[in-house]
Amino acid sequence: MPTTLEVRCTDDECEMDMFELHYTYDMPEDVGVADFVCPYCRGTESLEAIEL
């Protein structure tokens, strides 16, 4: 099953609560939160993975 990464934006000014990234099998294994931006505020430093 491809990886699913749940991410939250911690920027107090951002309206995005959380979102999921659904990878395909072709996604490199070393891809992580630092490789993405918030789809709402476009921030990169404010993203963190949600650990379940």
Side-chain angles (χ1 to χ4, degrees):
M1 187 76 176
T3 303
T4 299
L5 180 63
E6 294 181 339
V7 181
R8 80 174 115 231
C9 185
T10 60
D11 185 337
D12 292 334
E13 301 295 316
C14 183
E15 297 294 326
M16 179 65 72
D17 181 27
M18 61 90 59
F19 56 96
E20 293 181 342
L21 300 167
H22 298 268
Y23 298 175
T24 67
Y25 289 104
D26 295 333
M27 185 69 74
E29 292 203 20
D30 63 340
V31 171
V33 174
D35 297 303
F36 296 96
V37 299
C38 175
Y40 186 82
C41 71
R42 309 310 268 169
T44 57
E45 299 297 318
S46 58
L47 293 182
E48 68 180 29
I50 298 172
E51 302 293 329
L52 300 176

